[in-house]
Each structure stands twice: as C-alpha cells, then as structure tokens.
Amino acid sequence: MTSENQTRVTEFLFSMFPHLHEGGLLFFILLLLIYGFIVTGNLMIFIITQLDAALHTPMYFFIRVLSFLEIWYTTTTIPKILSCLVSEQKTISLAGCFLQMYFFHSLGITEGCVLTAMAIDRYIAICNPLHYPNIMTPKLCVHLTAGSCLCGFLLVLPEIAWIGALPFCGSNQIQQIFCDFTPVLNLACTDTSLVVIMDAIHAVEILASFLVIALSYLRIIVVILQMPSAEGRHKAFSTCAAHLAVFLLFFGSVAVMYLRFSATYSVFWDTAIAVTFVILAPFFNPIIYSLRNKDMKDAIGRLFGYQKRAGGVKR
C-alpha cells in the first residue's frame, strides 16, 4: 500500500455477471421479460383495485399498497442487473451502491410490515367478523400503511450511514448480483464486528413479523376448521391462500438469507437465494393475486367490459 489514493475504492465491480458471449444476452432478454411482467402485473393490480368499487376493502387496500411497493422494490435492483448483463462496465459508484442498499432494504422491510398488517386484517375478518367493519376502518388501514413505511425507511438508515462511513480499499469486487450488506462489508478495510449487532436487529425484525403472521394464521386455520359449512371453509381458505403463498415466498427466502448469522454459503447458493427474493418472489406475486384470485378476475372482466351473460342480462 503505497498511498491512500492508490488503494481508495471509488466504485464497486459486480463480478458475478457473465459477458455477452457467455450467455449474458440470453439472461438479459429473460430478465427483461420478467421485469416487464412484474411492473405490468403489479400496475394492473394497483389500477384495478383502485377503480373497482367492489375491491375497496381493507384486504385489497393492502394488496394495492403491496403492488405499488413491489414495483419500486424490483426497480432498485433489476434495471442495474440488466445494465450489467449487457455492459462491459459492470460497476456501480459507492454512492449508488449505498442508495441501492438503502432503498432495497427499506422497501423490503416495508413490504414485510404490510404483509403483517394483511395477516392481522385476515385474522380479524375470520376470527372476529362481527366487529371487523368497526375495527378495520379506512383510517386504521392508512395508519398501518404509514407505520409500515416509517418502520421500513427509518430502521435501516443507521446501518447504511455506518457502512457509508467505512473506508474501502483493496479489492472492489462484489460477489453478488446487487449491493447487499455482507458482500459490501467484506470489502471494508477496517473492523466490521459491529455487524453482529446489525444482524441481531435484522433477526428481531424478521422474526417479529414472522411470528405475528404465523400465529395469526394458526388461529385462522383453527377457526376455519371449526366452521360447520364446507362452502364456508373453502371460501375462507381461498381468501387466505394468496397471502399465505406470498408470505412463504417472501419470508422463506429472506429468512434463509438474513437469519444465518455466522453461517456461510457458497457464492452459488448466495446468488440463488438472492434471485429468489429479488426476482422470483416478485414475479409470482401478480400471478397469485390476479390469475389465482376470483375477485380480481371478476374485476378485470368488469374493467374490460366482458361479463358472463344469462338471458341477455349482464350480471
């Protein structure tokens, strides 16, 4: 190390992406189609739940919020991934990297909080239906959403500020498809033992949301199984199935990635897990909430003017 200027890192290099002649173009086309589907699908859900009066319920309010967040959540990472797949310059500035980390994790935490609010909503709707309209008011839904955003965008701020103050020297190669805490901290040329505290904070955040959702749905399942009507049980299960699927996709991959503490994975498995919650989970969400949802399919039909007719009368 001859001087500080010679070793000071001014940008990070993503070392995981193939070059164009190594299949980068194929991955680019596939990911571009997936990203287009994610944005279009979530935008469609957002517009339909906003325009259709039949979907002006707390559950679909939270789905609308989740769709809005999902668009921005994927936009923090996928456009840069697309750029790296076709560009020879697979780099990102330090400021760009820290901003990507901040918005990615802020939006991710916000989504987790909104999913928790959705679980509470379903719990009250099924376990306490008589008081549901008085409890889950539009005002409470707005407050829960605002609280989720505050939680998401404030909790991660101290960690990003700490990482941004660290000196980076020597290697600048990030072994991941986006800027994340561990790959970036591995490049710092100073003591990063404080990361253990950050890991504990992340663990509490994830486990708290997970426990609230899991306990809510355990209680919901017990109540549903006690319903005397088979039709009632089927309707209740189908209402909650979409949320459960999204919950398992989102929290499953996030838990594997961020609840490992000192455990380490190979670069391949780190990348595979990242692809799951950065690309695959957002890809399946519009499918789960629209194509697998009868209310959404009916609303799409009403929006585009085609309805099943019986005796020439629109139903």
Side-chain angles (χ1 to χ4, degrees), residues 44-65 121-122 132-133 136-139 141-142 293 295-296 298-300 302-303:
M44 180 186 72
I45 291 170
F46 182 87
I47 292 171
I48 289 171
T49 55
Q50 180 67 39
L51 295 179
D52 196 297
L55 301 182
H56 289 178
T57 64
M59 184 178 78
Y60 285 102
F61 172 83
F62 290 124
I63 288 176
R64 182 161 64 251
V65 171
D121 170 71
R122 290 299 84 205
Y132 178 73
M136 292 305 297
T137 60
K139 185 177 181 180
C141 292
V142 171
N293 186 306
D295 291 338
M296 281 296 299
D298 290 344
I300 292 170
R302 288 190 292 271
L303 180 66

Side-chain angles (χ1 to χ4, degrees), residues 195-211:
V195 73
V196 176
I197 299 174
M198 302 300 178
D199 285 344
I201 294 171
H202 288 313
V204 171
E205 294 166 3
I206 295 167
L207 288 173
S209 292
F210 181 88
L211 284 174

Side-chain angles (χ1 to χ4, degrees), residues 158-190:
E159 184 166 7
I160 297 297
W162 172 62
I163 295 174
L166 295 175
F168 293 91
C169 51
S171 174
N172 70 336
Q173 295 189 18
I174 295 178
Q175 293 189 323
Q176 188 52 279
I177 60 174
F178 69 102
C179 286
D180 203 5
F181 294 134
T182 301
V184 171
L185 285 171
N186 287 339
L187 303 179
C189 50
T190 188

Side-chain angles (χ1 to χ4, degrees), residues 71-87:
I71 293 171
W72 295 109
Y73 175 76
T74 53
T75 300
T76 60
T77 53
I78 294 182
K80 184 60 183 178
I81 295 172
L82 288 169
S83 172
C84 289
L85 285 170
V86 294
S87 173

